[in-house]
Amino acid sequence: MDTCDAVVVGAGPNGLVAAIALADAGWDVLLVEAQDEVGGAVRSAEVLAPGVVTDLFSAFYPLAAASPVIRDLGLESHGLTWRRSPDVLAHVLADGRCAVMHDDPDGTAARLDEDAPGDGEAWLRMVRQWQRLRDPLLDALFTTFPPVRPGVRLARVLGAAEGLDLVRRLALPVRRLAAEEFRGTDAGLLLSGNAAHTDVPPDAAGSALYGWLLSMLGQDVGYPVPEGGAGRLSEAMAARYRAAGGRVMTGAAVERVELRGRRATGVVLADGRRVRARRAVVADVSAPALFGRMLPAGALHPRLRERLERFEWDPSTLKLNWALSQPVPWAADGARQAGTVHLGVDADGLVQSSAALTTGRLPSPPFVLFGQMGVADPTRCPPGTETAWGYTHLPRSLGDDAGAVAAQVEAVEDAVEAVAPGFRDAVTARLVQTPTDLQAADANLDLGALNGGSSALHHQLFLRPVPGLGRPETPVDRLYLASASAHPGGGVHGACGWNAARAALDAQGPVGAARRALTRTVWHRVLGPERVSPR
C-alpha cells in the first residue's frame, strides 16, 4: 500500500493544477490516472499521418491563457509556447457572407462598421469595459463560491449603476444582447456562435454571458494553441508538478474511495492496490462517477442521492479530424486566416439547432465548430498542407446510436463542403471520434459531454453539481470534487482543481478543525434530516 498526504484522482488539467498546488505547499502528492498518459481532454498525437499533429479533444485555449490560475504556474519555463492565428474567429454562411473577429479589436470594429455603421464603436465599448473589469471579473468567476473579495473589487470598479446594467446584460439571451447593442448581423453571429460553445440555447437566459465572455477573451488573449499540439500544455503542467516533487501513477483506474466513518482515507485501484491518503482525496472525476460509483451508497445522504438523479449532462459530441493536402478551400476569404471557424447555420439556425438537441432530434443542418490548426500553429503539419477538425453536438439519447452518428458524420462534411467547395477532395486521412470513443479515451467525457454537466443557469454556482454549497468540499470529510462538475464548470482554466486544493490546504491549516466542523454543519443544514420521504 502506497501512502501519501494527498491522492489526486484524474490527471486532466484540473487534477494537474490541484496536484501542483498541493505539492507546492510541501505535501507528498500522488497523482493517479486511468489512462496511460496524463492530460485528460488536453492531449494530441500523430494519428492521421506522420508529421501531422491532431488535437484529440480540446484545441483552443482562451480560458487557459487568461486564467490567473494557469498563468501563475509559469508553464513557459516548462516547455509551453503559445501560438495564435492571424485572425481569431470567422463565422461563414452558405451565401458567402463571413463575420470575422480580427486579432486587433480595431480591425474587428472596422469590419463590423462595414456591416452596419456604428456597430464598430458599439463593439469597442464592450472591449473597453472588458479591459476595465477583466481581472476582478476573472477572479470572481474562478474562485470558490461565494466570491466575496473579488466581488467587492468588481463592485468598486463598476459602481452600482453600471454593475446592475452589466448583470442584466449578461443574464440576457445572447440574441437579445445582439439586438440591443448592434444594428447589423455580424456582431450577433460572433456573439451567438461563441455562446454555442456551451449547451445554453441562444434564446435562453444567461447565454449572453458565454457569448460575451468568449468574444472578449478573443479580443484580449485570442484563441491561442500550444505550439506542437494540445498535449504540450499537459506535458508542461506535468513537468511543473514533477519539479515540485510530485509523483504520477498512470494506467491505474480508481475503483472506489476508502472511508473511515464519514472521512476519506484513500483509494482502491481496479487491480486491488490501495493508496492511503493522510490528509485529502481530491477527485478530478465527474460528480456522477464520484458520488454514484466510487463511494458506497451508505456514505451519501438520501437527499444528495436524489439530487444526483437530476444531474444534467451537456449534449453528446461528435468530432471529426482530417489531414488535408492543401489549405481549406474556403469560398469566403475571411475564413482563411482564422484558427476557429463557425459554420453550418446562421443566427436563426443556431436556435433551431439548439431546439433539435432539446427535443432529441439530430440538428439539420448541424452547427459545426471547425479548427484549422496549421493556420494557428504551422508546426502541426507539413508546409502547404493542413490539419483540421470539426465537432458538433447530438442529443444524448442518440449519442450511442451508430446510425445517427454515421448520418451526422456525413452532415458535418456536407456543411463544410458547402462553404469550402473541394474540401472532400483535399482530405487525405480522416479519424472519426464518436461520443463513445471520447468517453473511452477520457471517462469524464461521459457519452461525449465536454463540460462536466450542463452550463445552464440551474446548474451553476451553488447549484453545481447539485443544490448545495457550490464549493469543492463534499459531505465526506477530506474528500474534494475538483472536476468540471464543480463550480465554475467546464473549460481549461484549472479553477476547479485550484479551488479543491485550496480547500484541502485550508482544512489542514491552523483553523482547519473549525473549518471542517463548519462545513459539516452547513451540509447538514443544506441536506436536512437523514430520513427523506420517498417521492
Side-chain angles (χ1 to χ4, degrees):
M1 180 173 63
D2 203 336
T3 300
C4 55
D5 289 326
V7 58
V8 177
V9 182
N14 282 309
L16 284 162
V17 166
I20 291 169
L22 295 173
D24 280 353
W27 286 24
D28 176 20
V29 184
L30 179 61
L31 180 60
V32 181
E33 168 57 44
Q35 299 296 324
D36 292 331
E37 60 179 321
V38 303
V42 183
R43 287 183 279 164
S44 52
E46 294 184 6
V47 293
L48 293 171
V52 177
V53 177
T54 296
D55 289 341
L56 298 174
F57 309 97
S58 56
F60 291 92
Y61 299 105
L63 287 170
S67 167
V69 172
I70 292 180
R71 189 175 63 241
D72 289 348
L73 295 179
L75 297 180
E76 290 77 8
S77 299
H78 296 274
L80 176 66
T81 299
W82 289 115
R83 300 292 294 265
R84 290 167 59 163
S85 55
D87 291 327
V88 179
L89 168 71
H91 192 132
V92 295
L93 301 177
D95 63 5
R97 288 181 295 150
C98 181
V100 179
M101 182 188 296
H102 295 286
D103 188 60
D104 174 20
D106 288 330
T108 305
R111 190 166 185 114
L112 293 177
D113 272 332
E114 293 175 6
D115 180 47
D119 278 4
E121 178 54 31
W123 185 266
L124 291 176
R125 281 198 302 271
M126 280 190 174
V127 172
R128 288 193 293 268
Q129 183 185 49
W130 165 260
Q131 291 168 342
R132 285 194 298 112
L133 56 83
R134 174 192 194 275
D135 289 343
L137 177 65
L138 290 177
D139 284 345
L141 289 175
F142 291 153
T143 195
T144 52
F145 184 84
V148 178
R149 290 181 181 177
V152 170
R153 288 178 56 211
L154 185 59
R156 287 174 178 167
V157 170
L158 289 171
E162 187 180 3
L164 287 172
D165 287 342
L166 180 66
V167 169
R168 176 192 175 273
R169 182 191 304 168
L170 299 186
L172 290 172
V174 70
R175 285 171 62 87
R176 181 61 190 170
L177 173 64
E180 289 186 2
E181 299 292 333
F182 302 99
R183 297 173 55 200
T185 60
D186 283 7
L189 276 175
L190 297 176
L191 291 167
S192 297
N194 277 321
H197 287 221
T198 71
D199 65 311
V200 183
D203 55 348
S207 57
L209 167 62
Y210 298 106
W212 173 82
L213 177 62
L214 286 176
S215 295
M216 293 302 98
L217 286 173
Q219 295 288 231
D220 183 356
V221 298
Y223 284 2
V225 303
E227 183 177 272
R232 297 291 178 85
L233 174 56
S234 297
E235 291 169 9
M237 295 174 76
R240 171 69 170 79
Y241 168 59
R242 290 189 176 98
R247 296 180 289 144
V248 179
M249 181 189 298
T250 56
V254 171
E255 187 70 23
R256 69 179 187 273
V257 176
E258 284 202 301
L259 306 180
R260 180 178 297 165
R262 291 292 181 96
R263 187 181 74 184
T265 59
V267 299
V268 178
L269 306 183
D271 62 7
R273 287 180 293 168
R274 298 167 62 205
V275 179
R276 177 173 173 264
R278 289 183 289 260
R279 294 180 170 183
V281 175
V282 178
D284 180 13
V285 301
S286 72
L290 177 61
F291 297 121
R293 178 178 62 81
M294 297 171 65
L295 287 173
L300 295 178
H301 191 291
R303 182 167 279 120
L304 180 58
R305 292 200 303 269
E306 179 182 308
R307 289 173 179 175
L308 280 167
E309 292 175 1
R310 301 189 181 109
F311 181 89
E312 183 178 0
W313 286 103
D314 37 316
S316 296
T317 302
L318 167 68
K319 185 169 182 283
L320 283 73
N321 309 276
W322 303 279
L324 305 175
S325 60
Q326 64 179 55
V328 179
W330 300 108
D333 290 340
R336 298 185 188 278
Q337 296 300 307
T340 300
V341 181
H342 297 159
L343 60 92
V345 296
D346 58 12
D348 290 341
L350 286 168
V351 176
Q352 295 159 6
S353 178
S354 180
L357 294 173
T358 300
T359 55
R361 297 176 289 114
L362 288 178
S364 180
F367 171 61
V368 179
L369 283 85
F370 188 97
Q372 39 189 358
M373 305 312 298
V375 171
D377 173 16
T379 71
R380 303 291 187 93
C381 55
T385 69
E386 181 59 278
T387 174
W389 54 264
Y391 82 73
T392 193
H393 293 301
L394 298 82
R396 282 184 64 83
S397 59
L398 299 176
D400 57 355
D401 184 319
V405 170
Q408 210 64 351
V409 167
E410 292 304 309
V412 167
E413 291 198 330
D414 286 344
V416 178
E417 183 75 22
V419 293
F423 170 80
R424 276 195 169 99
D425 292 337
V427 173
T428 59
R430 183 182 76 173
L431 170 69
V432 175
Q433 292 174 281
T434 68
T436 53
D437 291 334
L438 294 171
Q439 179 176 331
D442 182 348
N444 281 357
L445 305 180
D446 191 281
L447 208 56
L450 301 182
N451 289 315
S454 174
S455 298
L457 287 178
H458 62 268
H459 225 20
Q460 296 297 330
L461 303 175
F462 63 90
L463 304 176
R464 189 175 188 90
V466 296
L469 307 189
R471 296 179 58 85
E473 295 94 337
T474 73
V476 177
D477 189 23
R478 303 190 187 190
L479 175 64
Y480 304 90
L481 180 63
S483 72
S485 289
H487 170 75
V492 181
H493 44 66
C496 304
W498 176 260
N499 292 340
R502 291 307 313 172
L505 291 169
D506 289 344
Q508 296 294 316
V511 295
R515 292 180 67 95
R516 294 196 301 273
L518 177 61
T519 298
R520 288 194 296 270
T521 299
V522 176
W523 269 116
H524 177 74
R525 297 294 185 186
V526 167
L527 295 175
E530 285 284 343
R531 294 186 178 276
V532 179
S533 301
R535 286 180 293 168

